[in-house]
Amino acid sequence: MSDDLHAQPAPDPELLLIGVGLMGRPYVRAAHRLGLRVRAVEAETRAEEARGLVDELELSQGRYGSLDELWAESAYEAALRRRPDGVLAFTESHVLAAALVQDRLALPGPSLQAAAISRNKALQRGRFRAHGIGQPEYRLTGSLTEAGPWAEARLPVVVKPLSSAGSEGVELVPGADAYREAAVRRGGEGLLLVETAAQGPEYSWEALVQGGKVWFANLTAKETTGPPHFVEVSHRVAVQLPPEEAAVVDALGESVIEAIGMRTGLVHLEFRLTATGPQVMEVAVRTPGDYLMDLCSLAYGIDWFEMVVRLAVGAQLPPAPQAPVRYAASHFVVSEPGTVVAVEGLEQVRAHPAVVDCGVSVAVGDRIAATSSSGQRTAFAVLAAPSREALEEALAQVRSTLLVTTEVHAQTSRGRDAPE
C-alpha cells in the first residue's frame, strides 16, 4: 500500500469524521451543505445509526469513552486508503485519532500537542503551572493513601481521573474520614489527581480558533448538583460579565490556547471565578456536551457545527457575529435513585414556544442509580428566547413541569441501572 502522504485523494472534497454519535450528526449535515462528501469512522455498536447519514462508513473496534488506540488505528487506516481534505474528531475518545492523522497529512487541526494535553488532566496541570495559569493546587498520585498527608492538609479536595468526561470519576472529598474511605474504595484505579477544591461560580468558554487566534468565543454559565460529583444540570450561553472580568476571561482563554499549542478548531475551557481570579478546571479540543454547540448556534445566529467543519477543511469563515441574536440554555433532570414511578410534563414542555428540543431517557419501571455522571441524567430540554428574562421564565416552567419521580422500594419491571 502506498505511503499515507501519497494516498489517493477522494474524487470529491471529503471530510473524514471520527465518530458520529448522536450530537455529532449536525457535522454531517453541515458538511453536506458545504458540498463535502462525508466518510465516517464509527464504532460497530453505533454503525446502524450512522449508516444512513454519511456517504461512506468504516467500522472501528473503538468504544466511546475508552480505547483511544483502536480509534487511532481505524482513523489512520481510513486516511491511508484515501486521503481526505479534512479530519474532524467528534468527542473525547476520538481526539488523538484525528490529531494523529491531521499531523501526518499536514491538515488543519488543534495540533498533536494540544490533543495529547487535552486528553490528560495531569499534562494540563503541568503545562498550566509552567505558564503561570491559575489553577488548583494539585498532586498526581498512584496511591491516595500515600498522598494522604498532602491532601489532609488541604481539605476539602477533589479526586479525579486523568482522562474522563461528563464528571465521570470526579469526587469532592470533604474530610479526613471521607478521604481515607475514598483511598480504599479507589485503590485500584491507578493514577489520579488530587486537587484543592476551588470556590466560585463555574463557567465554560467555547472558542473557534484559526491559526492560534480566537475567531469567536462564547461564555457559558453552569449550574451543577454540587458536591460530591458536580454533575451539570443547566447551561446558559452568551453570558456577559462586567468589562473587567470579561477581559480577564478572554486573557485566560488566550493564555490556555498558547500554553497547549492550540492551532485550529474548537476549544472548550472549564474554569471557576474565585476570589483570587480564575482557576482552570480542564480544557478540551472537541465537541462539548449538553447541547452547547446547539445553544451557541441559536444564540449567535451562525451554525457552530458548520464553522468547525470549515476550520477542519480550511474553508473561508463568514464575518464573526457582533452580538447575540437571542438567548439560549439547556436544562437536565437529575432524579433521585430508585425505581421510576412517573414521567410527567414532556408534552407540555414540548409545546412551550421557547423549547427547541426535549426528551426523556427513562420509563416507568426503570431503576435509577445515584447520579455520579452526566450519562445518568433522566431528561433534558433545550430552550431559546428573545430576552434573558423570557429565557429565565421558560427555564422555571420547564423545571417545575418536566419531572421524573422515583420510589426507593417500589417493585421493578425492567431492571435498568441507568439511562443509556
Side-chain angles (χ1 to χ4, degrees):
M1 188 175 290
S2 62
D3 183 82
D4 57 316
L5 290 174
H6 300 92
Q8 290 296 314
D12 298 309
E14 182 179 81
L15 175 71
L16 180 61
L17 180 57
I18 314 302
V20 180
L22 294 175
M23 293 187 187
R25 294 181 179 189
Y27 286 126
V28 180
R29 295 192 289 269
H32 283 157
R33 285 198 307 272
L34 294 171
L36 297 169
R37 187 176 188 276
V38 179
R39 184 161 47 119
V41 175
E42 184 56 289
E44 294 180 0
T45 55
R46 308 297 293 266
E48 288 308 310
E49 300 171 12
R51 200 176 301 278
L53 298 172
V54 300
D55 300 291
E56 186 177 341
L57 185 66
E58 304 204 15
L59 298 181
S60 174
Q61 295 182 55
R63 296 198 303 271
Y64 281 69
S66 63
L67 297 177
D68 290 22
E69 294 82 2
L70 291 178
W71 287 107
E73 176 183 291
S74 303
Y76 189 77
E77 288 178 348
L80 191 61
R81 279 189 285 273
R82 189 169 66 246
R83 181 189 176 100
D85 295 272
V87 181
L88 179 59
F90 166 46
T91 192
E92 195 76 13
S93 50
H94 308 130
V95 167
L96 275 177
L100 285 164
V101 176
Q102 290 159 349
D103 183 75
R104 181 64 172 152
L105 300 182
L107 292 169
S111 84
L112 186 54
Q113 177 182 200
I117 292 171
S118 79
R119 288 292 285 139
N120 187 305
K121 294 180 177 65
L123 291 179
Q124 293 177 36
R125 290 286 175 249
R127 184 62 61 92
F128 296 155
R129 181 169 64 182
H131 281 255
I133 295 171
Q135 63 180 350
E137 290 184 70
Y138 69 95
R139 179 78 175 267
L140 175 64
T141 183
S143 167
L144 292 180
T145 299
E146 291 181 4
W150 183 93
E152 291 185 20
R154 293 165 174 81
L155 292 167
V157 295
V158 175
V159 177
K160 60 176 66 172
L162 304 193
S163 179
S164 65
S167 302
E168 185 73 37
V170 178
E171 175 183 7
L172 179 79
V173 182
D177 290 342
Y179 184 87
R180 287 189 284 271
E181 185 275 329
V184 174
R185 173 166 42 84
R186 305 186 67 163
E189 288 191 34
L191 288 174
L192 292 166
L193 273 174
V194 185
E195 302 177 352
T196 54
Q199 302 296 323
E202 191 169 355
Y203 296 90
S204 66
W205 183 79
E206 290 75 39
L208 297 164
V209 181
Q210 186 175 45
K213 303 295 183 182
V214 175
W215 177 75
F216 188 73
N218 162 76
L219 184 64
T220 300
K222 296 186 183 189
E223 292 181 21
T224 75
T225 57
H229 300 295
F230 303 98
V231 176
E232 293 164 358
V233 295
S234 71
H235 303 267
R236 295 170 176 83
V237 299
V239 171
Q240 293 178 331
L241 295 176
E244 289 186 5
E245 288 186 351
V248 168
V249 169
D250 288 340
L252 174 71
E254 291 171 0
S255 65
V256 168
I257 286 171
E258 169 67 21
I260 67 174
M262 176 70 189
R263 287 204 298 259
T264 296
L266 178 65
V267 173
H268 173 65
L269 173 65
E270 298 183 349
F271 66 96
R272 286 183 181 270
L273 275 182
T274 74
T276 58
Q279 291 200 3
V280 173
M281 301 296 104
E282 61 184 272
V283 65
V285 295
R286 44 77 178 166
T287 313
D290 290 359
Y291 299 96
L292 284 179
M293 294 280 282
D294 303 82
L295 298 181
C296 287
S297 300
L298 289 165
Y300 297 107
I302 60 169
D303 187 332
W304 276 54
F305 293 96
E306 181 180 318
M307 298 306 106
V308 173
V309 172
R310 286 177 177 270
L311 289 168
V313 298
Q316 185 176 357
L317 296 171
Q322 297 301 306
V325 296
R326 72 189 86 175
Y327 299 90
S330 56
H331 168 69
F332 298 86
V333 175
V334 173
S335 302
E336 293 295 324
T339 301
V340 177
V341 295
V343 177
E344 302 172 274
L346 182 61
E347 292 308 315
Q348 296 96 308
V349 166
R350 184 172 286 136
H352 194 288
V355 173
V356 177
D357 193 12
C358 60
V360 175
S361 57
V362 295
V364 172
D366 287 349
R367 289 197 302 268
I368 307 298
T371 302
S372 59
S373 73
S374 60
Q376 295 169 297
R377 298 170 302 187
T378 55
F380 78 94
V382 174
L383 306 94
S387 68
R388 297 187 192 278
E389 293 76 16
L391 180 65
E392 292 306 317
E393 290 176 6
L395 272 171
Q397 186 166 346
V398 168
R399 287 193 181 107
S400 64
T401 305
L402 186 57
L403 305 173
V404 176
T405 305
T406 60
E407 288 184 359
V408 175
H409 299 298
Q411 289 290 322
T412 62
S413 60
R414 295 175 63 182
R416 197 170 76 179
D417 290 332
E420 295 176 352

